[in-house]
Amino acid sequence: MLVSGAGTNLQAILDSEIESLRVVISDVPDATALQRAAQAGIPTEVVPFTSTRSAFTDQICESAARHGAEALVLAGFMRVLAPEAIKRYPHRILNIHPSLLPAFPGVDAVSQALSYGVTVTGVTVHFVDEKVDHGPIIAQRAVPVLPGDDEESLHARIQKVEHDLYPRVVAAFLRGDVFVENGKVVLR
Ligand code: GRF
């Protein structure tokens, strides 16, 4: 798994029945996610972004390969991988995003939803392609925006849904029940 921050989605996956996590890699050395992984007995690695996106991506892929990972699961990973990663793991990189894509891509999805005044936003799990927060959509869930919501309250409601949805999708993917056929996602 690739992480950069709090790692609550990682925790949800650790708490689920998924047992095939090979390594948790972070670009941020003091990410809480690393402590969660260590506590669960999962190997951790820190790969800081130092020079170029391509060199960084190479290091991430090498680290994943060293640990025998055959797919990458992004959860709050704040870097964009170079196209080399997508070629190396075709339709084998998953990401979770706190909106109903293609609405509100980017780091400020929750505040965008609030400033647009939408009454429904949500969660998207998708395969990663060359563009940011883009690629074949695997699963989505709607989350209501309630009167009086601020970024914190709305993100908390969204995260509750993330923590239920992501472990289910990752487990299905690992069972071979999520794949792309003729450009469309099949979810069994
Ligand atoms: C989540 O809301 C996820 O959708 C977004 O970043 C956040 C990560 O949270 N990509 P956490 O680190 O899993 O707690």
Side-chain angles (χ1 to χ4, degrees):
M1 281 193 67
L2 305 188
V3 297
S4 301
T8 62
N9 280 285
L10 164 69
Q11 190 66 56
I13 288 172
L14 291 171
D15 293 344
S16 73
E17 83 279 21
I18 294 165
E19 280 168 6
S20 46
L21 276 193
R22 300 300 176 105
V23 60
V24 172
I25 306 171
S26 173
D27 60 313
V28 177
D30 61 354
T32 307
L34 290 172
Q35 293 164 28
R36 295 179 189 271
Q39 242 160 32
I42 309 287
T44 61
E45 293 227 11
V46 175
V47 177
F49 187 97
T50 45
S51 53
T52 64
R53 185 135 67 97
S54 170
F56 173 71
T57 300
D58 259 9
Q59 285 179 297
I60 295 273
C61 291
E62 284 316 308
S63 164
R66 249 196 332 274
H67 289 274
E70 290 171 357
L72 303 178
V73 176
L74 280 51
F77 181 62
M78 301 307 281
R79 297 276 175 186
V80 178
L81 294 169
E84 290 94 297
I86 288 101
K87 286 200 195 85
R88 191 157 169 171
Y89 295 98
H91 296 138
R92 298 193 68 77
I93 308 178
L94 278 71
N95 183 42
I96 187 159
H97 184 76
S99 76
L100 293 174
L101 289 172
F104 315 139
V107 287
D108 54 351
V110 179
S111 71
Q112 282 188 65
L114 285 169
S115 46
Y116 270 87
V118 294
T119 55
V120 177
T121 183
V123 175
T124 302
V125 179
H126 64 99
F127 285 116
V128 171
D129 69 8
E130 285 80 2
K131 297 184 201 155
V132 175
D133 297 327
H134 191 271
I137 288 173
I138 302 169
Q140 292 189 302
R141 285 228 195 126
V143 174
V145 182
L146 301 180
D149 260 342
D150 58 15
E151 214 177 313
E152 200 187 354
S153 63
L154 179 55
H155 198 202
R157 193 174 309 116
I158 289 172
Q159 286 228 289
K160 240 177 132 182
V161 174
E162 290 185 334
H163 301 160
D164 181 56
L165 183 64
Y166 212 15
R168 289 174 196 268
V169 173
V170 171
F173 172 74
L174 294 172
R175 282 196 307 270
D177 285 342
V178 181
F179 50 91
V180 177
E181 209 170 55
N182 304 323
K184 287 261 183 297
V185 173
V186 179
L187 173 57
R188 282 198 294 237

